[in-house]
């Protein structure tokens, strides 16, 4: 692989920055406020060290783990991300095919660019539906019922967006969903002709789950009415696994366990919501300590490498999810770029396991310590 190949997440980001319109890159890359929260997340991950161990037979290593009783070929899956087809046409389905190939969950966003039924089929069932509570909840519960009818087994309720965080990079470009093209955007797109010709000729990306009659969505609509009663209603309605994503507080985590959820996902929404939030990697360790070793705890936010993944697993995560770096890989080199980055991260993780004397990623056999 030559100079244009993807050997790391930073390679993917660098190539994507060159190829995407500024507005789209900043939408994917941006964080809340002055982005000090994102910087603190990175600093907290960088401050964690792994323990090198020597003279252990690590010639046979497995990256497989179990998640909700099923075997997954990697300990990392695909976080729900809205409007992925802005990265490249067909991005949602590229991610779905990747999930099927490695038997890992693909988080399907409420605001995906492809209908939830189509993604589930392409993912061969390896997909979880992510839900935002919005407005008075009428549309939210209809979407949950639609996901259930489609065959989704796991629902992920994202709870850290009572209001959409202010991300100045987005605001400066006038980024909106549904996608709108005005004079400024037109100039931006004209200066990035490769993206414009491939993406806009396919039709501008839409929020596909709301193209059906009776499903409306306003990204700016307040999500602030969600309460513990909302959660109880959803728990009653949803017969499968229920994951709550966006948890950064020990007291909330304990209350969620008492409310009967099946897993908690520690996340700062990629630092896109509350700039002053605590770093999720530090809260992961505290939440794991509070809940004990058995309750399923997942993690996302800021992961950039296989070593980052091993750090999150060592801090107590059972499984982790990758987000924007996968979009960068797709923007950089399409499906081949996605495959290259996935392989690079797998290699990084496998090598880090060897360096730390691990042959397995099962937390319960004390391989991670």
């Amino acid at each position: 692989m030559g100079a244009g190949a993807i050997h790391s997440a930073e390679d993917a980001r660098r190539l994507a920055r060159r190829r995407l319109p500024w507005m789209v890159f900043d939408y994917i890359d941006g964080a809340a406020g002055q982005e000090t929260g994102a910087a603190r997340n990175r600093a907290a991950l960088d401050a964690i060290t792994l323990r090198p161990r020597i003279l252990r037979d690590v010639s046979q290593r497995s990256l497989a783990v179990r998640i909700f009783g099923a075997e997954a070929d990697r300990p990392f899956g695909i976080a729900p991300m809205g409007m992925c087809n802005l990265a490249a046409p067909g991005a949602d389905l590229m991610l779905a095919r990747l999930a099927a190939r490695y038997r890992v969950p693909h988080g399907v966003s409420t605001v995906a660019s492809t209908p939830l039924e189509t993604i589930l089929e392409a993912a061969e069932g390896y997909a979880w539906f992510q839900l935002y509570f919005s407005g008075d909840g009428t549309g939210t519960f209809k979407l949950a019922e639609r996901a259930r009818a489609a065959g989704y087994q796991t629902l992920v309720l994202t709870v850290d967006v009572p209001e959409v965080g202010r991300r100045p990079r987005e605001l400066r470009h006038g980024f909106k969903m549904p996608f709108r093209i005005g004079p400024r955007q037109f100039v931006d797109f004209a200066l990035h002709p490769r993206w414009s010709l491939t993406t806009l000729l396919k039709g501008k990306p839409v929020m596909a789950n709301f193209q059906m009659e009776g499903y409306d969505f306003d990204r700016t609509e307040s999500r602030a009415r969600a309460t513990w009663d909302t959660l109880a209603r959803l728990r009653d309605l949803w017969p499968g696994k229920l994951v709550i994503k966006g948890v950064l507080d020990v007291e909330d985590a304990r209350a969620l366990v008492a409310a009967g959820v099946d897993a908690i996902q520690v996340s700062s929404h990629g630092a896109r919501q509350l700039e002053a939030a605590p770093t999720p990697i530090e809260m992961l360790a505290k939440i794991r300590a509070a809940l004990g070793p058995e309750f399923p705890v997942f993690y996302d936010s800021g992961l950039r490498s296989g070593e980052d993944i091993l750090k999150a697993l060592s801090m107590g995560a059972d499984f982790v999810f990758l987000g924007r770096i996968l979009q960068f890989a797709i923007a950089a080199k399409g499906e081949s770029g996605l495959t290259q980055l996935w392989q690079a991260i797998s290699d990084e993780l496998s090598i880090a396991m060897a360096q730390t004397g691990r042959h397995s990623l099962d937390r319960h056999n004390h391989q991670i310590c």
Side-chain angles (χ1 to χ4, degrees):
M1 292 191 286
I6 293 173
H7 300 287
S8 67
E10 187 49 44
D11 283 348
R13 183 180 181 274
R14 177 176 45 80
L15 290 168
R17 188 173 196 171
R18 193 183 305 160
R19 295 178 184 184
L20 287 172
W22 305 312
M23 180 180 80
V24 176
F25 178 82
D26 282 341
Y27 164 65
I28 297 169
D29 193 57
Q34 301 308 301
E35 307 198 2
T36 59
R40 281 188 296 109
N41 287 0
R42 186 62 255 166
L45 276 162
D46 286 339
I48 296 167
T49 58
L50 296 166
R51 183 184 178 190
R53 301 306 302 273
I54 61 169
L55 297 175
R56 297 183 174 195
D57 185 349
V58 287
S59 57
Q60 301 295 317
R61 298 183 300 281
S62 171
L63 303 187
V65 296
R66 295 190 75 76
I67 180 166
F68 288 147
E71 186 98 345
D73 295 337
R74 296 289 184 274
F76 50 94
I78 301 159
M81 296 175 282
M83 301 288 281
C84 283
N85 286 5
L86 284 172
D92 283 326
L93 297 181
M94 295 178 199
L95 293 167
R97 288 189 287 269
L98 187 73
R101 196 178 318 143
Y102 289 94
R103 302 187 298 171
V104 298
H106 173 197
V108 178
S109 173
T110 287
V111 290
S113 320
T114 308
L116 61 92
E117 295 86 355
T118 307
I119 296 178
L120 182 65
E121 186 177 348
E124 298 173 19
Y126 290 97
W128 296 358
F129 186 66
Q130 176 268 336
L131 191 67
Y132 283 121
F133 183 88
S134 182
D136 65 2
T138 304
T140 301
F141 285 100
K142 281 169 70 176
L143 261 183
E145 286 166 356
R146 181 175 155 195
R148 178 180 171 184
Y152 282 85
Q153 304 293 308
T154 300
L155 189 69
V156 181
L157 178 67
T158 298
V159 292
D160 59 1
V161 192
E163 301 290 351
V164 176
R166 283 181 61 82
R167 303 194 275 271
R169 277 205 261 168
E170 258 181 51
L171 297 171
R172 282 194 289 271
H173 292 296
F175 183 91
K176 287 185 171 62
M177 287 199 287
F179 203 48
R180 293 191 181 93
I181 300 173
R184 286 183 61 196
Q185 290 82 17
F186 186 83
V187 171
D188 187 1
F189 295 165
L191 292 169
H192 296 87
R194 184 192 302 185
W195 180 91
S196 301
L197 289 170
T198 56
T199 301
L200 297 183
L201 285 177
K202 301 274 186 183
K204 67 181 184 181
V206 297
M207 294 182 292
N209 290 326
F210 302 94
Q211 298 297 294
M212 289 174 62
E213 190 175 339
Y215 292 94
D216 298 314
F217 185 79
D218 178 356
R219 183 181 182 232
T220 62
E221 185 175 42
S222 175
R223 301 168 192 170
R225 293 192 214 172
T227 66
W228 290 92
D229 287 340
T230 310
L231 176 62
R233 280 180 63 200
L234 196 61
R235 177 70 284 183
D236 289 343
L237 173 144
W238 187 258
K241 300 294 187 184
L242 180 60
V243 180
I244 306 302
K245 171 172 152 48
V247 183
L248 286 173
D249 184 89
V250 170
E251 192 176 329
D252 284 345
R254 286 197 178 108
L256 286 167
V257 174
V261 308
D262 296 293
I264 285 167
Q265 192 155 323
V266 177
S267 168
S268 68
H269 214 103
R272 290 163 77 82
Q273 286 305 116
L274 178 66
E275 186 176 15
T279 62
I281 197 69
E282 292 173 331
M283 292 313 301
L284 169 63
K286 293 177 181 178
I287 288 170
R288 170 54 72 200
L291 301 188
E294 300 303 322
F295 190 82
V297 177
F298 308 146
Y299 178 88
D300 74 74
S301 290
L303 299 173
R304 297 287 181 273
S305 68
E307 286 196 17
D308 282 353
I309 290 167
L310 194 55
K311 289 174 182 182
L313 297 174
S314 70
M315 299 299 276
D318 292 296
F319 197 87
V320 305
F321 291 85
L322 305 178
R324 49 168 73 95
I325 61 173
L326 302 180
Q327 285 200 61
F328 288 147
I330 291 169
K333 291 179 72 84
E335 196 152 9
S336 69
L338 179 62
T339 301
Q340 285 176 30
L341 179 60
W342 193 265
Q343 188 57 52
I345 289 169
S346 299
D347 290 346
E348 288 168 349
L349 175 57
S350 181
I351 292 166
M353 288 170 64
Q355 303 282 8
T356 53
R358 299 176 171 95
H359 57 79
S360 154
L361 291 172
D362 181 1
R363 274 194 319 106
H364 300 295
N365 68 9
H366 309 293
Q367 286 294 323
I368 288 183
C369 52

